[in-house]
Amino acid sequence: MKRRKIILVVLFLTVIHTHSLFSQQPVWSETKEQKTQRMEWWRHDRFGMFIHWGIYAMPARHEWVQLYEKIPAAEYRKYFDRFNPDLYNPEEWAAKAKKAGMKYVVLTTKHHDGFCLWDSKYTDYKVTNTPYGEDLIKPFVEAFRAEGIRVGFYYSLIDWHHPHFAFDRNHPPVPTGSEEREKENAKRDMNIYRQYMKDQLRELLTQFGQIDELFMDFSYPGEGGKGHQDWDSEGLARLARELQPQIIINNRMDLGHTDWGWDFITPEQFMPQEWPTVDGERVPWETCQTFSGSWGYYRDQYTWKSTHQLIVMLIETVSKGGNLLLNVGPTARGVFDDRANERLDGIGQWMRFHDRSIYGCTQAPDEYTAPQNCLMTYNPETHRLYIHVLEWPFKSLHLPGMKDKIEYAQLLNDASEIKFHSRTQTGSHTVETSRENDVILTLPVERPNTDVPVIELFLK
Ligand code: GLC
C-alpha cells in the first residue's frame, strides 16, 4: 500500500516536471542564419520614420505632459473631447517620408497616455470617440504601403488611462507615499491590464495587414517599476511572433534574458561611440532620434537639430552598422510643421544623390581607416567604400593604407572621376608625395554643392 503511494507520487512529480519543461520551451526558435534572413530588409534599408501622434499634440508641450504637469485624468480629457485633426492626409506624410529616403515607418498606435488611434473593441478611449470620429490607422497603412514603405507599430506598455494599470513611479498623478499607492493599487488588477494588451496587440496585428516592426515601450524593472513579469512580455512576444512571423521586435519588453524575445536594441537621444554589443557580440541596433528633443509635437521647443546635423547622424549611424528611425511629431491639425518639413526636404535632397552610401551599407571592415574629418560606410555586396567628407580639405585627401586597393574613385553626387596616386618619391616643391602605403585623392578645390560630399571608391 505504502509502495503504491510512493509510486503514485513519483509519477505525479514526473508528469509535473515534464509539463513545466514543455511550457518553458519558447514557441519561437530559429537559427542565426534564419534570423539574419528575417532581418535582411531592415538591415538593408537603414532609414525609417518614427511618428508620435496623439491628443498630446494639442497641449503641444511634450508627449509626457500629463505626467510632467501632473494633470488629473479628468482634466486631460479636454484634449480628447476636442481632438479633430481636420487636415490629416496620410498620403502627404507618406510622400514626404519617401522623398526623404525613408524606407519604413513606425507609428504610435497608443502612447503612455493610453489614447488609441484605431477603433479598438476594448476601450472607449479612442479616436473614433473624439470629434474626428474616424480610425486613423487604416488610411495610414494604406498610404505608406502605396509608396512602397513598410509599416511598423509602436505600442506603449505604460498606460496612464487604464483603470487596472497599477500606479508606479511613472504614473500621473502619482499617489504620494508608497502606502497610499499600495492602497490604490489594491483596487487595480494587472491581470486585466495584461489581457487588455494582448487583445489590443491581436487587433493591431490582424486588422492592418503585414506589420514589419513592433516597437513596445518600455520597461523599468525594479523598485516602483515594471518589468517583463508585470507585462507578461513572454506572452506578448509569443503572440506577436505567432501572428506575424516576419515581424522584427525591439528590446524594451525586458526580455534580455531570452534570445527570442527581442531582435534589436534601441539607444535613443545619444550617438553610440561604436557598434553596440551584447555579451561581447555586435547586435542589430536602431537608434531613434528626435528633431528637437520631444517626440510629440512641441510648439515652443527651440533645440532643433539642423539638416546638416541630421544627415551626419544618419551617416554616422550607418558607419557603425545601425539604423536610424527619425521622429516627426505631427500637429493636432494633422500635418507636419514647417521646421520638420524643411529638414525632411533637406535630407531628401541629399539622399537623392547619396542614398547609395546608405542603403545596403554598414561599418567598413577594420582594414580600412577613415581619413581625417571623414565617416566611412561600406557596401559588402558591391565592395565599394564611401568616404563622407565632413570638412572639405584643400585639394588632397589622404587615405591611410589604401595603396593598391582602389580600382576607381568618383564623387557620388555627379559621378565625376577623382584621380589618385601614391607617389612617394620627392618631385619638386609643387608635387605632393604620400606616405608609404597611403593614397592621395586629388579633390576639386571647390567643395561640391551638397551637404556632405561623398567619394565612392571601387575597391579591387
Ligand atoms: C521613451 C519615451 C517616449 C518615446 C520613446 C521613443 O521611451 O517614454 O515618450 O515614445 O522613448 O523611443
PDB file of all heavy atoms in Angstrom, residues 193-215:
ATOM      1  N   TYR A 193      -5.259  44.192 -17.057  1.00  0.00           N
ATOM      2  CA  TYR A 193      -4.480  45.029 -17.985  1.00  0.00           C
ATOM      3  C   TYR A 193      -3.636  44.174 -18.932  1.00  0.00           C
ATOM      4  O   TYR A 193      -3.532  44.459 -20.125  1.00  0.00           O
ATOM      5  CB  TYR A 193      -3.600  46.026 -17.221  1.00  0.00           C
ATOM      6  CG  TYR A 193      -2.806  46.886 -18.181  1.00  0.00           C
ATOM      7  CD1 TYR A 193      -3.449  47.726 -19.070  1.00  0.00           C
ATOM      8  CD2 TYR A 193      -1.409  46.803 -18.239  1.00  0.00           C
ATOM      9  CE1 TYR A 193      -2.738  48.487 -19.998  1.00  0.00           C
ATOM     10  CE2 TYR A 193      -0.693  47.547 -19.156  1.00  0.00           C
ATOM     11  CZ  TYR A 193      -1.360  48.388 -20.034  1.00  0.00           C
ATOM     12  OH  TYR A 193      -0.652  49.121 -20.954  1.00  0.00           O
ATOM     13  N   ARG A 194      -3.059  43.107 -18.390  1.00  0.00           N
ATOM     14  CA  ARG A 194      -2.248  42.225 -19.243  1.00  0.00           C
ATOM     15  C   ARG A 194      -3.096  41.647 -20.387  1.00  0.00           C
ATOM     16  O   ARG A 194      -2.664  41.584 -21.530  1.00  0.00           O
ATOM     17  CB  ARG A 194      -1.637  41.083 -18.416  1.00  0.00           C
ATOM     18  CG  ARG A 194      -0.390  41.495 -17.671  1.00  0.00           C
ATOM     19  CD  ARG A 194       0.297  40.298 -17.023  1.00  0.00           C
ATOM     20  NE  ARG A 194      -0.368  39.877 -15.790  1.00  0.00           N
ATOM     21  CZ  ARG A 194      -0.089  40.390 -14.580  1.00  0.00           C
ATOM     22  NH1 ARG A 194       0.828  41.315 -14.449  1.00  0.00           N
ATOM     23  NH2 ARG A 194      -0.730  39.962 -13.511  1.00  0.00           N
ATOM     24  N   GLN A 195      -4.314  41.249 -20.043  1.00  0.00           N
ATOM     25  CA  GLN A 195      -5.203  40.704 -21.061  1.00  0.00           C
ATOM     26  C   GLN A 195      -5.557  41.783 -22.100  1.00  0.00           C
ATOM     27  O   GLN A 195      -5.609  41.543 -23.298  1.00  0.00           O
ATOM     28  CB  GLN A 195      -6.470  40.133 -20.410  1.00  0.00           C
ATOM     29  CG  GLN A 195      -7.370  39.362 -21.377  1.00  0.00           C
ATOM     30  CD  GLN A 195      -6.630  38.230 -22.104  1.00  0.00           C
ATOM     31  OE1 GLN A 195      -5.878  37.470 -21.488  1.00  0.00           O
ATOM     32  NE2 GLN A 195      -6.792  38.146 -23.427  1.00  0.00           N
ATOM     33  N   TYR A 196      -5.764  42.997 -21.602  1.00  0.00           N
ATOM     34  CA  TYR A 196      -6.103  44.141 -22.469  1.00  0.00           C
ATOM     35  C   TYR A 196      -5.006  44.348 -23.520  1.00  0.00           C
ATOM     36  O   TYR A 196      -5.277  44.508 -24.709  1.00  0.00           O
ATOM     37  CB  TYR A 196      -6.247  45.373 -21.576  1.00  0.00           C
ATOM     38  CG  TYR A 196      -6.467  46.691 -22.291  1.00  0.00           C
ATOM     39  CD1 TYR A 196      -7.682  46.981 -22.902  1.00  0.00           C
ATOM     40  CD2 TYR A 196      -5.466  47.673 -22.308  1.00  0.00           C
ATOM     41  CE1 TYR A 196      -7.888  48.219 -23.532  1.00  0.00           C
ATOM     42  CE2 TYR A 196      -5.665  48.901 -22.924  1.00  0.00           C
ATOM     43  CZ  TYR A 196      -6.877  49.168 -23.543  1.00  0.00           C
ATOM     44  OH  TYR A 196      -7.081  50.378 -24.156  1.00  0.00           O
ATOM     45  N   MET A 197      -3.754  44.303 -23.064  1.00  0.00           N
ATOM     46  CA  MET A 197      -2.650  44.500 -24.019  1.00  0.00           C
ATOM     47  C   MET A 197      -2.655  43.404 -25.082  1.00  0.00           C
ATOM     48  O   MET A 197      -2.435  43.675 -26.259  1.00  0.00           O
ATOM     49  CB  MET A 197      -1.308  44.500 -23.293  1.00  0.00           C
ATOM     50  CG  MET A 197      -1.070  45.768 -22.498  1.00  0.00           C
ATOM     51  SD  MET A 197       0.660  45.929 -22.036  1.00  0.00           S
ATOM     52  CE  MET A 197       0.786  44.680 -20.783  1.00  0.00           C
ATOM     53  N   LYS A 198      -2.907  42.181 -24.653  1.00  0.00           N
ATOM     54  CA  LYS A 198      -2.913  41.073 -25.631  1.00  0.00           C
ATOM     55  C   LYS A 198      -4.050  41.243 -26.620  1.00  0.00           C
ATOM     56  O   LYS A 198      -3.876  41.050 -27.826  1.00  0.00           O
ATOM     57  CB  LYS A 198      -3.019  39.740 -24.915  1.00  0.00           C
ATOM     58  CG  LYS A 198      -1.726  39.380 -24.272  1.00  0.00           C
ATOM     59  CD  LYS A 198      -1.642  37.943 -23.832  1.00  0.00           C
ATOM     60  CE  LYS A 198      -0.416  37.811 -22.965  1.00  0.00           C
ATOM     61  NZ  LYS A 198      -0.705  37.599 -21.549  1.00  0.00           N
ATOM     62  N   ASP A 199      -5.202  41.625 -26.100  1.00  0.00           N
ATOM     63  CA  ASP A 199      -6.353  41.807 -27.005  1.00  0.00           C
ATOM     64  C   ASP A 199      -6.057  42.906 -28.025  1.00  0.00           C
ATOM     65  O   ASP A 199      -6.366  42.780 -29.201  1.00  0.00           O
ATOM     66  CB  ASP A 199      -7.609  42.175 -26.198  1.00  0.00           C
ATOM     67  CG  ASP A 199      -8.103  40.996 -25.359  1.00  0.00           C
ATOM     68  OD1 ASP A 199      -7.783  39.841 -25.711  1.00  0.00           O
ATOM     69  OD2 ASP A 199      -8.796  41.233 -24.348  1.00  0.00           O
ATOM     70  N   GLN A 200      -5.459  43.974 -27.550  1.00  0.00           N
ATOM     71  CA  GLN A 200      -5.171  45.085 -28.469  1.00  0.00           C
ATOM     72  C   GLN A 200      -4.081  44.718 -29.470  1.00  0.00           C
ATOM     73  O   GLN A 200      -4.168  45.060 -30.646  1.00  0.00           O
ATOM     74  CB  GLN A 200      -4.749  46.316 -27.668  1.00  0.00           C
ATOM     75  CG  GLN A 200      -5.918  46.930 -26.931  1.00  0.00           C
ATOM     76  CD  GLN A 200      -5.747  48.425 -26.721  1.00  0.00           C
ATOM     77  OE1 GLN A 200      -4.665  48.892 -26.382  1.00  0.00           O
ATOM     78  NE2 GLN A 200      -6.826  49.168 -26.892  1.00  0.00           N
ATOM     79  N   LEU A 201      -3.071  44.013 -28.976  1.00  0.00           N
ATOM     80  CA  LEU A 201      -1.993  43.616 -29.880  1.00  0.00           C
ATOM     81  C   LEU A 201      -2.553  42.705 -30.978  1.00  0.00           C
ATOM     82  O   LEU A 201      -2.198  42.823 -32.150  1.00  0.00           O
ATOM     83  CB  LEU A 201      -0.891  42.901 -29.089  1.00  0.00           C
ATOM     84  CG  LEU A 201       0.420  42.708 -29.831  1.00  0.00           C
ATOM     85  CD1 LEU A 201       1.038  44.040 -30.227  1.00  0.00           C
ATOM     86  CD2 LEU A 201       1.424  41.922 -28.979  1.00  0.00           C
ATOM     87  N   ARG A 202      -3.473  41.835 -30.576  1.00  0.00           N
ATOM     88  CA  ARG A 202      -4.090  40.952 -31.567  1.00  0.00           C
ATOM     89  C   ARG A 202      -4.840  41.783 -32.626  1.00  0.00           C
ATOM     90  O   ARG A 202      -4.744  41.521 -33.814  1.00  0.00           O
ATOM     91  CB  ARG A 202      -5.028  39.958 -30.879  1.00  0.00           C
ATOM     92  CG  ARG A 202      -5.647  38.947 -31.823  1.00  0.00           C
ATOM     93  CD  ARG A 202      -6.495  37.940 -31.081  1.00  0.00           C
ATOM     94  NE  ARG A 202      -5.712  37.000 -30.285  1.00  0.00           N
ATOM     95  CZ  ARG A 202      -5.126  35.902 -30.771  1.00  0.00           C
ATOM     96  NH1 ARG A 202      -5.243  35.618 -32.055  1.00  0.00           N
ATOM     97  NH2 ARG A 202      -4.439  35.102 -29.992  1.00  0.00           N
ATOM     98  N   GLU A 203      -5.541  42.794 -32.168  1.00  0.00           N
ATOM     99  CA  GLU A 203      -6.237  43.665 -33.137  1.00  0.00           C
ATOM    100  C   GLU A 203      -5.235  44.292 -34.101  1.00  0.00           C
ATOM    101  O   GLU A 203      -5.415  44.268 -35.311  1.00  0.00           O
ATOM    102  CB  GLU A 203      -6.974  44.801 -32.402  1.00  0.00           C
ATOM    103  CG  GLU A 203      -8.229  44.381 -31.685  1.00  0.00           C
ATOM    104  CD  GLU A 203      -8.957  45.591 -31.060  1.00  0.00           C
ATOM    105  OE1 GLU A 203      -8.287  46.565 -30.633  1.00  0.00           O
ATOM    106  OE2 GLU A 203     -10.191  45.545 -30.977  1.00  0.00           O
ATOM    107  N   LEU A 204      -4.183  44.855 -33.514  1.00  0.00           N
ATOM    108  CA  LEU A 204      -3.218  45.583 -34.344  1.00  0.00           C
ATOM    109  C   LEU A 204      -2.516  44.669 -35.347  1.00  0.00           C
ATOM    110  O   LEU A 204      -2.169  45.094 -36.443  1.00  0.00           O
ATOM    111  CB  LEU A 204      -2.175  46.268 -33.454  1.00  0.00           C
ATOM    112  CG  LEU A 204      -2.695  47.470 -32.655  1.00  0.00           C
ATOM    113  CD1 LEU A 204      -1.664  47.904 -31.611  1.00  0.00           C
ATOM    114  CD2 LEU A 204      -3.020  48.630 -33.591  1.00  0.00           C
ATOM    115  N   LEU A 205      -2.309  43.428 -34.934  1.00  0.00           N
ATOM    116  CA  LEU A 205      -1.541  42.530 -35.797  1.00  0.00           C
ATOM    117  C   LEU A 205      -2.426  41.639 -36.663  1.00  0.00           C
ATOM    118  O   LEU A 205      -1.931  40.744 -37.345  1.00  0.00           O
ATOM    119  CB  LEU A 205      -0.576  41.687 -34.947  1.00  0.00           C
ATOM    120  CG  LEU A 205       0.477  42.490 -34.160  1.00  0.00           C
ATOM    121  CD1 LEU A 205       1.446  41.567 -33.439  1.00  0.00           C
ATOM    122  CD2 LEU A 205       1.239  43.469 -35.053  1.00  0.00           C
ATOM    123  N   THR A 206      -3.726  41.874 -36.611  1.00  0.00           N
ATOM    124  CA  THR A 206      -4.598  41.096 -37.506  1.00  0.00           C
ATOM    125  C   THR A 206      -5.455  41.985 -38.409  1.00  0.00           C
ATOM    126  O   THR A 206      -5.984  41.526 -39.399  1.00  0.00           O
ATOM    127  CB  THR A 206      -5.555  40.169 -36.711  1.00  0.00           C
ATOM    128  OG1 THR A 206      -6.264  40.964 -35.763  1.00  0.00           O
ATOM    129  CG2 THR A 206      -4.804  39.057 -36.011  1.00  0.00           C
ATOM    130  N   GLN A 207      -5.588  43.260 -38.062  1.00  0.00           N
ATOM    131  CA  GLN A 207      -6.534  44.088 -38.830  1.00  0.00           C
ATOM    132  C   GLN A 207      -5.882  45.029 -39.844  1.00  0.00           C
ATOM    133  O   GLN A 207      -6.574  45.722 -40.578  1.00  0.00           O
ATOM    134  CB  GLN A 207      -7.382  44.917 -37.859  1.00  0.00           C
ATOM    135  CG  GLN A 207      -8.272  44.045 -36.994  1.00  0.00           C
ATOM    136  CD  GLN A 207      -9.102  44.859 -36.003  1.00  0.00           C
ATOM    137  OE1 GLN A 207      -9.097  46.079 -36.028  1.00  0.00           O
ATOM    138  NE2 GLN A 207      -9.812  44.159 -35.129  1.00  0.00           N
ATOM    139  N   PHE A 208      -4.560  45.078 -39.861  1.00  0.00           N
ATOM    140  CA  PHE A 208      -3.927  46.085 -40.709  1.00  0.00           C
ATOM    141  C   PHE A 208      -2.873  45.512 -41.660  1.00  0.00           C
ATOM    142  O   PHE A 208      -1.948  46.212 -42.070  1.00  0.00           O
ATOM    143  CB  PHE A 208      -3.325  47.192 -39.835  1.00  0.00           C
ATOM    144  CG  PHE A 208      -4.350  47.874 -38.961  1.00  0.00           C
ATOM    145  CD1 PHE A 208      -4.486  47.543 -37.624  1.00  0.00           C
ATOM    146  CD2 PHE A 208      -5.217  48.827 -39.507  1.00  0.00           C
ATOM    147  CE1 PHE A 208      -5.448  48.155 -36.814  1.00  0.00           C
ATOM    148  CE2 PHE A 208      -6.181  49.439 -38.708  1.00  0.00           C
ATOM    149  CZ  PHE A 208      -6.302  49.106 -37.367  1.00  0.00           C
ATOM    150  N   GLY A 209      -3.016  44.239 -41.982  1.00  0.00           N
ATOM    151  CA  GLY A 209      -2.079  43.633 -42.937  1.00  0.00           C
ATOM    152  C   GLY A 209      -0.715  43.362 -42.320  1.00  0.00           C
ATOM    153  O   GLY A 209      -0.575  43.303 -41.092  1.00  0.00           O
ATOM    154  N   GLN A 210       0.283  43.233 -43.190  1.00  0.00           N
ATOM    155  CA  GLN A 210       1.620  42.857 -42.703  1.00  0.00           C
ATOM    156  C   GLN A 210       2.271  44.000 -41.930  1.00  0.00           C
ATOM    157  O   GLN A 210       2.409  45.116 -42.421  1.00  0.00           O
ATOM    158  CB  GLN A 210       2.505  42.477 -43.887  1.00  0.00           C
ATOM    159  CG  GLN A 210       3.910  42.095 -43.425  1.00  0.00           C
ATOM    160  CD  GLN A 210       4.742  41.483 -44.516  1.00  0.00           C
ATOM    161  OE1 GLN A 210       4.259  40.679 -45.319  1.00  0.00           O
ATOM    162  NE2 GLN A 210       6.016  41.841 -44.566  1.00  0.00           N
ATOM    163  N   ILE A 211       2.686  43.686 -40.706  1.00  0.00           N
ATOM    164  CA  ILE A 211       3.367  44.679 -39.872  1.00  0.00           C
ATOM    165  C   ILE A 211       4.809  44.212 -39.704  1.00  0.00           C
ATOM    166  O   ILE A 211       5.068  43.105 -39.247  1.00  0.00           O
ATOM    167  CB  ILE A 211       2.659  44.827 -38.506  1.00  0.00           C
ATOM    168  CG1 ILE A 211       1.181  45.209 -38.708  1.00  0.00           C
ATOM    169  CG2 ILE A 211       3.370  45.842 -37.619  1.00  0.00           C
ATOM    170  CD1 ILE A 211       0.941  46.480 -39.519  1.00  0.00           C
ATOM    171  N   ASP A 212       5.740  45.066 -40.078  1.00  0.00           N
ATOM    172  CA  ASP A 212       7.128  44.616 -40.171  1.00  0.00           C
ATOM    173  C   ASP A 212       7.986  44.900 -38.947  1.00  0.00           C
ATOM    174  O   ASP A 212       8.997  44.253 -38.749  1.00  0.00           O
ATOM    175  CB  ASP A 212       7.775  45.223 -41.417  1.00  0.00           C
ATOM    176  CG  ASP A 212       7.251  44.539 -42.671  1.00  0.00           C
ATOM    177  OD1 ASP A 212       7.401  43.311 -42.765  1.00  0.00           O
ATOM    178  OD2 ASP A 212       6.670  45.220 -43.530  1.00  0.00           O
ATOM    179  N   GLU A 213       7.598  45.910 -38.170  1.00  0.00           N
ATOM    180  CA  GLU A 213       8.368  46.162 -36.940  1.00  0.00           C
ATOM    181  C   GLU A 213       7.393  46.392 -35.795  1.00  0.00           C
ATOM    182  O   GLU A 213       6.344  47.009 -35.973  1.00  0.00           O
ATOM    183  CB  GLU A 213       9.292  47.384 -37.112  1.00  0.00           C
ATOM    184  CG  GLU A 213      10.127  47.646 -35.849  1.00  0.00           C
ATOM    185  CD  GLU A 213      11.170  48.775 -36.008  1.00  0.00           C
ATOM    186  OE1 GLU A 213      11.902  48.798 -37.017  1.00  0.00           O
ATOM    187  OE2 GLU A 213      11.243  49.616 -35.089  1.00  0.00           O
ATOM    188  N   LEU A 214       7.773  45.908 -34.626  1.00  0.00           N
ATOM    189  CA  LEU A 214       6.965  46.146 -33.429  1.00  0.00           C
ATOM    190  C   LEU A 214       7.850  46.822 -32.384  1.00  0.00           C
ATOM    191  O   LEU A 214       8.891  46.291 -32.007  1.00  0.00           O
ATOM    192  CB  LEU A 214       6.423  44.819 -32.882  1.00  0.00           C
ATOM    193  CG  LEU A 214       5.512  44.942 -31.658  1.00  0.00           C
ATOM    194  CD1 LEU A 214       4.244  45.724 -31.990  1.00  0.00           C
ATOM    195  CD2 LEU A 214       5.135  43.557 -31.129  1.00  0.00           C
ATOM    196  N   PHE A 215       7.403  48.001 -31.961  1.00  0.00           N
ATOM    197  CA  PHE A 215       8.179  48.794 -31.011  1.00  0.00           C
ATOM    198  C   PHE A 215       7.380  48.904 -29.719  1.00  0.00           C
ATOM    199  O   PHE A 215       6.478  49.728 -29.604  1.00  0.00           O
ATOM    200  CB  PHE A 215       8.451  50.181 -31.616  1.00  0.00           C
ATOM    201  CG  PHE A 215       9.590  50.926 -30.987  1.00  0.00           C
ATOM    202  CD1 PHE A 215      10.769  51.160 -31.687  1.00  0.00           C
ATOM    203  CD2 PHE A 215       9.486  51.410 -29.688  1.00  0.00           C
ATOM    204  CE1 PHE A 215      11.831  51.854 -31.099  1.00  0.00           C
ATOM    205  CE2 PHE A 215      10.541  52.100 -29.100  1.00  0.00           C
ATOM    206  CZ  PHE A 215      11.706  52.330 -29.811  1.00  0.00           C
TER     207      PHE A 215
END
